[in-house]
């Protein structure tokens, strides 16, 4: 049941991130809530569980944003690994550690996405890409407390208690 709820939440957030947020956002960029959610989920459930969700939601984001197929999927896998390596300690350490992890995960995500763009023949401005990565990381940090509180609440309710792999 928890996975079904998570599937609905992450699919809804992917659609919102690709379609709604850009339409109503005053800035030209927005937070990558899917990235933050994958990080929190894999910190709670482990690397394998994070990768299981990172790849298909990445493909969904590629299709919605018309990115090269597999770009977001490949870029979200290291995010799941980072979250999975941190495991539950992240959610029990306060909000600062998850914010720092999201900062690092966002930069890794952007680096992988940029490599995919280069391999597919797109031209990139390294300075522009670096600025975008830093701004996105800062915006992602603002989302962490909300998802952190939600994950902690679910943990207290016993919703996220599952066998760890």
């Amino acid at each position: 049941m928890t996975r079904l709820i998570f599937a609905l939440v992450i699919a809804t957030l992917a659609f919102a991130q690709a379609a709604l947020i850009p339409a109503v956002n005053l800035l030209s960029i927005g937070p990558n809530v899917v990235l933050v959610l994958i990080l929190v989920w894999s910190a709670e459930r482990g690397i394998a569980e994070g990768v299981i969700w990172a790849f298909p939601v990445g493909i969904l984001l590629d299709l919605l944003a018309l990115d090269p197929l597999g770009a977001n999927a490949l870029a979200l896998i290291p995010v799941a690994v980072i979250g999975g390596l941190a495991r539950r300690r992240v959610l029990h350490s306060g909000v600062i550690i998850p914010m720092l992890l999201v900062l690092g995960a966002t930069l890794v995500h952007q680096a992988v996405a940029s490599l995919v763009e280069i391999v597919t023949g797109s031209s990139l401005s390294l300075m522009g890409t670096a600025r975008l990565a830093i701004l996105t990381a800062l915006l992602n940090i603002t989302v962490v407390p909300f998802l952190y509180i939600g994950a902690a609440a679910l943990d207290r309710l016993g919703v996220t208690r599952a066998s760890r792999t």
Side-chain angles (χ1 to χ4, degrees), residues 49-115:
E49 183 79 17
V51 170
I52 287 170
W53 290 101
F55 195 78
V57 80
I59 296 292
L60 178 61
L61 285 172
D62 291 334
L63 294 172
L64 293 172
L66 301 175
D67 289 335
L69 193 59
N72 282 298
L74 291 174
L76 283 172
I77 289 173
V79 172
V81 171
I82 291 168
L85 290 175
R87 296 289 291 178
R88 295 181 56 84
R89 291 183 300 265
V90 170
L91 299 178
H92 296 290
S93 64
V95 76
I96 300 300
I97 301 296
M99 286 178 153
L100 293 173
L101 283 172
V102 165
L103 176 72
T106 302
L107 297 176
V108 169
H109 176 271
Q110 188 64 41
V112 172
S114 296
L115 285 174

Side-chain angles (χ1 to χ4, degrees), residues 11-156:
T12 301
L13 287 175
F15 278 102
Q17 182 174 307
L20 287 176
I21 293 173
V24 298
N25 194 356
L26 298 176
L27 304 171
S28 60
I29 62 169
N32 189 335
V33 290
V34 171
L35 180 147
V36 177
L37 193 56
I38 289 291
L39 184 86
V40 169
W41 187 260
S42 60
E44 187 66 24
R45 300 289 181 114
I47 294 172
E49 183 79 17
V51 170
I52 287 170
W53 290 101
F55 195 78
V57 80
I59 296 292
L60 178 61
L61 285 172
D62 291 334
L63 294 172
L64 293 172
L66 301 175
D67 289 335
L69 193 59
N72 282 298
L74 291 174
L76 283 172
I77 289 173
V79 172
V81 171
I82 291 168
L85 290 175
R87 296 289 291 178
R88 295 181 56 84
R89 291 183 300 265
V90 170
L91 299 178
H92 296 290
S93 64
V95 76
I96 300 300
I97 301 296
M99 286 178 153
L100 293 173
L101 283 172
V102 165
L103 176 72
T106 302
L107 297 176
V108 169
H109 176 271
Q110 188 64 41
V112 172
S114 296
L115 285 174
V116 170
E117 294 251 348
I118 290 169
V119 168
T120 60
S122 299
S123 62
L124 287 178
S125 162
L126 291 178
M127 191 56 101
T129 301
R131 284 188 201 135
L132 178 65
I134 292 168
L135 290 173
T136 303
L138 293 173
L139 286 171
N140 288 351
I141 288 172
T142 66
V143 177
V144 170
F146 302 106
L147 292 175
Y148 175 83
I149 290 168
L154 289 175
D155 189 42
R156 271 185 254 125

